Amino acid sequence: MRKVLFSMVVVALAIPAFAGEHYNKAVKIGQKAPAFSGIPAQAPNGEETSLSLSDIKEDVVVLAFLANHCPAVQAADDRIIDFTADYKDKNVRVIAVSVNDVQEDKLPGIKKHIAEKKINYVYGYDESQAIGKAYGASATPHFFVLDKDRNIRYIGAMDDSVMKEEKVTKHYLRDAVDALLAGKTPAVEETAPKGCGIQFKKG
């Protein structure tokens, strides 16, 4: 299993990220974000809660598809925590969802991960995997940025070096959010997600 997971990471990381390319087959930039509601989740304080798009009041929403077991997510954990802290008071809401059909990526694993890493965003698990399919999530981590009208304005990777922070030269997610907060269109609207392939249930 470890060899299989590693190979998925390598394949996904080999995908280039170029502005103007369209990698997502389910949704497109500018379209209304698929609604979701009642996704069981854990809050940063460990309390049980749920995620519903209609409940979010902030102007900008960052939806991250994650998986605790994934090396790429583990490498990006601190960056996601820092990002959440940096935009906490800027009318931006960060939320995360796992849809992976892997035991450690489900709610008990999420609760443990929140406690160990001191996660500062609400993190849910969708057993049905419906939200992953609706958004066309294909890898973890995979980010979607929604504007005030809940239109999709950015899809893809957080930056250009998911495994090694010291090699990051392009901050796709931060740039997209900063643009929206300034009332502008993100210069880069879509990049290839880089990480572990999501394991959807068969059938």
Side-chain angles (χ1 to χ4, degrees), residues 64-84:
F65 286 89
L66 306 179
N68 300 327
H69 84 274
C70 174
V73 172
Q74 293 166 11
D77 264 338
D78 289 339
R79 273 173 278 172
I80 299 171
I81 292 169
D82 289 344
F83 176 92
T84 303

Side-chain angles (χ1 to χ4, degrees), residues 46-109:
E47 292 184 1
E48 294 182 1
T49 184
S50 64
L51 286 170
S52 298
L53 185 57
S54 61
D55 290 341
I56 300 175
K57 306 305 180 186
E58 286 81 359
D59 283 353
V60 177
V61 178
V62 176
L63 169 61
F65 286 89
L66 306 179
N68 300 327
H69 84 274
C70 174
V73 172
Q74 293 166 11
D77 264 338
D78 289 339
R79 273 173 278 172
I80 299 171
I81 292 169
D82 289 344
F83 176 92
T84 303
D86 290 346
Y87 288 86
K88 177 183 177 182
D89 300 318
K90 296 184 179 181
N91 214 11
V92 176
R93 177 77 178 277
V94 178
I95 58 175
V97 177
S98 169
V99 299
N100 224 33
D101 191 25
V102 175
Q103 192 60 41
E104 61 192 291
D105 295 335
K106 299 183 179 182
L107 275 177

